[in-house]
Amino acid sequence: MEQEVYTALTFVELTTVHYQHDDPFGLFNAYVTLIPIAIAIGVITLILFRRDVRTISILLGLLFSECTNYVLKKSIKEHRPTMWKELRKQSYGMPSSHSQFMFFFAVLMTLFYIKKRIRFGSKFLPTISVTFLFFLAAGVAYSRVHLYYHTAKQVFCGSFIGICLGFIWYAVIEYIFRPYLFPIVINHPIGKYFYLRDSSEIEDLLNFEYTNVMNKIKTINKTKPIKTK
């Protein structure tokens, strides 16, 4: 009976991370390797609350990267390291999707900043943010090797492909989406219904939103009737 239950069970590879119980850095790397999921959730959350078409294009880019990775894995069919035998049955390892995801995202965000599509109010914050992004990408790539999910070659190839796709997707956004697709989407009745917008041209978005909200609050307070006892 126990054997039947064991063979009937499987797991969701996306969120399941294996590590050796006697590895002092295993748990830390297990959390690090889940960073791409946190980023994906963050992007989806931004879309839901901000309705910005550029953020939507970032999510589409991440999906494009993942689809490309899936096709490459199925085409190359290179197995993962032999440490986890069950993983060899679940999926292939060339190239590393986690490494590809992280470097794709890091390159795309860096290009947005360089081309002033993302603006910061501080001179030092952009450098710190970009450096931190690539540090996270390198950390995720290392965690995949440390946890025996990929070989160094698979991680390197995934990182390189992610960098290349980051440049390609940025060009798609800037030269196809922004001039042709974004205006259609935000002016379409469906786009207006969901309050879709493109705020990338605003110099300081945080200051712009703060100023407008505060001015609106002042206007509302002025128009409120004065309560008398």
Side-chain angles (χ1 to χ4, degrees), residues 72-135:
L72 289 173
K73 279 183 176 178
K74 292 297 183 180
S75 301
I76 299 172
K77 296 182 179 180
E78 181 177 301
H79 289 290
R80 297 176 184 271
T82 57
M83 183 66 180
W84 309 118
K85 294 181 179 180
E86 287 300 319
L87 289 179
R88 291 172 62 86
K89 300 176 183 178
Q90 291 285 334
S91 64
Y92 296 110
M94 172 63 87
S96 165
S97 60
H98 284 67
S99 304
Q100 182 175 318
F101 180 105
M102 288 302 300
F103 278 94
F104 173 89
F105 184 76
V107 167
L108 192 60
M109 293 298 100
T110 301
L111 291 173
F112 279 156
Y113 164 66
I114 292 175
K115 299 298 182 179
K116 299 188 183 303
R117 299 302 178 195
I118 295 178
R119 296 175 173 87
F120 296 86
S122 169
K123 293 182 179 179
F124 302 103
L125 187 58
T127 303
I128 296 173
S129 299
V130 169
T131 303
F132 183 66
L133 265 180
F134 279 97
F135 176 78

Side-chain angles (χ1 to χ4, degrees), residues 4-224:
E4 291 178 0
V5 172
Y6 174 78
T7 56
L9 295 177
T10 184
F11 59 90
V12 178
E13 186 181 344
L14 180 66
T15 55
T16 300
V17 183
H18 298 84
Y19 65 94
Q20 292 178 296
H21 66 90
D22 57 348
D23 181 0
F25 303 104
L27 181 60
F28 175 77
N29 279 282
Y31 281 114
V32 169
T33 205
L34 292 174
I35 288 175
I37 298 176
I39 290 176
I41 293 173
V43 172
I44 293 172
T45 303
L46 281 175
I47 292 173
L48 292 175
F49 285 93
R50 302 194 65 84
R51 313 297 176 89
D52 195 287
V53 289
R54 189 172 297 276
T55 311
I56 296 175
S57 71
I58 293 173
L59 179 62
L60 292 176
L62 294 174
L63 293 174
F64 164 68
S65 176
E66 288 301 298
C67 289
T68 303
N69 183 271
Y70 178 83
V71 172
L72 289 173
K73 279 183 176 178
K74 292 297 183 180
S75 301
I76 299 172
K77 296 182 179 180
E78 181 177 301
H79 289 290
R80 297 176 184 271
T82 57
M83 183 66 180
W84 309 118
K85 294 181 179 180
E86 287 300 319
L87 289 179
R88 291 172 62 86
K89 300 176 183 178
Q90 291 285 334
S91 64
Y92 296 110
M94 172 63 87
S96 165
S97 60
H98 284 67
S99 304
Q100 182 175 318
F101 180 105
M102 288 302 300
F103 278 94
F104 173 89
F105 184 76
V107 167
L108 192 60
M109 293 298 100
T110 301
L111 291 173
F112 279 156
Y113 164 66
I114 292 175
K115 299 298 182 179
K116 299 188 183 303
R117 299 302 178 195
I118 295 178
R119 296 175 173 87
F120 296 86
S122 169
K123 293 182 179 179
F124 302 103
L125 187 58
T127 303
I128 296 173
S129 299
V130 169
T131 303
F132 183 66
L133 265 180
F134 279 97
F135 176 78
L136 282 182
V140 171
Y142 170 77
S143 72
R144 302 305 288 173
V145 178
H146 183 92
L147 297 172
Y148 300 102
Y149 276 87
H150 292 283
T151 63
K153 181 181 71 172
Q154 291 170 351
V155 163
F156 175 81
C157 290
S159 302
F160 179 75
I161 293 170
I163 291 171
C164 294
L165 292 181
F167 279 99
I168 293 172
W169 194 252
Y170 175 80
V172 169
I173 293 174
E174 286 299 304
Y175 301 110
I176 298 178
F177 286 0
R178 194 169 71 89
Y180 302 110
L181 187 60
F182 286 174
I184 295 174
V185 171
I186 62 178
N187 290 298
H188 193 275
I190 296 177
K192 291 180 179 180
Y193 178 80
F194 287 104
Y195 301 108
L196 299 183
R197 57 179 178 165
D198 181 12
S199 56
S200 58
E201 297 299 332
I202 299 176
E203 281 291 332
D204 191 340
L205 183 59
L206 287 176
N207 180 64
F208 175 82
E209 291 181 340
Y210 175 79
T211 302
N212 280 277
V213 169
M214 294 305 294
N215 289 337
K216 185 64 176 177
I217 291 174
K218 289 179 182 179
T219 303
I220 293 173
N221 290 335
K222 287 181 180 179
T223 56
K224 282 183 178 180

